[in-house]
Amino acid sequence: MILPIVAYGAPVLKKLAKDIDKDYPELDELLANMYETMYNASGVGLAAPQIGLPIRIFIVDASPFSDDDELDPAEQEFLSTFKQTFINAKIIEETGDEWAFNEGCLSIPDVREDVFRKPDIVIEYYDEDFKKHTEKFTGLAARVIQHEYDHIEGILFTDKLSQLKKRLIKRRLEDISKGKTNIGYRMKYPNKKKKR
Ligand SMILES: [Zn+2]
């Protein structure tokens, strides 16, 4: 089932999300719905707060990036099959010199800005079978994880922009929260006026 994606301005996007346990009700169905929702919106990642749930789950499918000819073949190859569910994730290390990448977000349609992040991470997480993993990721794979991980920490990529950039897009963000967008997937807007 495709779920509405919560738009910028909703309080759930600013909350620190909570761990779940393996008895979380209907987890399989929730994950299936999250994947369907992400693919329907042509996203490469989706976090539970974006569908209104303040819990520590996010999903990633970075395979669309494998077509990017600017990446080296090894990275393209890795991204082509990089699909993963992250439950109760904790980034335990972020290293290297920060690099910029033009990010977007399904909760903030039509806004794209360069965001600086470190290239290498180590992350602990549980998969959909509640098996624990500790893994290293680098480059674009790390980038997508960091963006989604920020969602479960209550952080949006727009929070990481300069004061000047924030001022420049303020009006646009307010418009998004009011539902003044023109996108091809279902959204839920926190400040949309009800029709009389
Ligand atoms: Zn996002």
Short mmCIF file of all heavy atoms in Angstrom, two decimals, residues 50 104-106 147-148 151, ligand 1:
data_model
loop_
_atom_site.label_atom_id
_atom_site.label_comp_id
_atom_site.label_asym_id
_atom_site.label_seq_id
_atom_site.Cartn_x
_atom_site.Cartn_y
_atom_site.Cartn_z
N GLN A 50 9.07 9.84 7.79
CA GLN A 50 8.49 10.41 6.58
C GLN A 50 7.12 9.84 6.24
O GLN A 50 6.40 10.38 5.40
CB GLN A 50 9.42 10.19 5.38
CG GLN A 50 10.72 10.99 5.50
CD GLN A 50 11.58 10.78 4.28
OE1 GLN A 50 12.27 9.78 4.17
NE2 GLN A 50 11.52 11.71 3.33
N GLY A 104 18.35 15.89 -2.36
CA GLY A 104 16.93 16.21 -2.35
C GLY A 104 16.26 15.31 -1.33
O GLY A 104 16.92 14.47 -0.72
N CYS A 105 14.96 15.50 -1.12
CA CYS A 105 14.26 14.73 -0.10
C CYS A 105 12.79 14.61 -0.49
O CYS A 105 12.18 15.59 -0.89
CB CYS A 105 14.38 15.45 1.24
SG CYS A 105 13.56 14.60 2.59
N LEU A 106 12.22 13.41 -0.36
CA LEU A 106 10.82 13.22 -0.74
C LEU A 106 9.88 14.08 0.10
O LEU A 106 8.78 14.40 -0.35
CB LEU A 106 10.44 11.74 -0.60
CG LEU A 106 11.16 10.76 -1.55
CD1 LEU A 106 10.72 9.33 -1.26
CD2 LEU A 106 10.92 11.13 -3.01
N HIS A 147 21.83 10.59 4.97
CA HIS A 147 20.61 11.39 4.79
C HIS A 147 19.42 10.74 5.51
O HIS A 147 18.69 11.40 6.25
CB HIS A 147 20.31 11.57 3.29
CG HIS A 147 19.05 12.32 3.00
ND1 HIS A 147 19.02 13.58 2.45
CD2 HIS A 147 17.73 11.99 3.21
CE1 HIS A 147 17.76 13.98 2.34
NE2 HIS A 147 16.96 13.03 2.79
N GLU A 148 19.26 9.42 5.31
CA GLU A 148 18.14 8.72 5.94
C GLU A 148 18.33 8.63 7.45
O GLU A 148 17.37 8.75 8.22
CB GLU A 148 17.97 7.32 5.34
CG GLU A 148 17.65 7.30 3.84
CD GLU A 148 16.50 8.23 3.46
OE1 GLU A 148 15.55 8.36 4.25
OE2 GLU A 148 16.56 8.84 2.37
N HIS A 151 17.13 11.52 9.25
CA HIS A 151 15.68 11.53 9.46
C HIS A 151 15.30 10.90 10.80
O HIS A 151 14.41 11.41 11.50
CB HIS A 151 14.95 10.79 8.34
CG HIS A 151 14.68 11.62 7.12
ND1 HIS A 151 13.93 12.77 7.15
CD2 HIS A 151 15.07 11.45 5.84
CE1 HIS A 151 13.87 13.27 5.93
NE2 HIS A 151 14.55 12.51 5.11
ZN ZN B 1 14.87 12.86 3.11
#
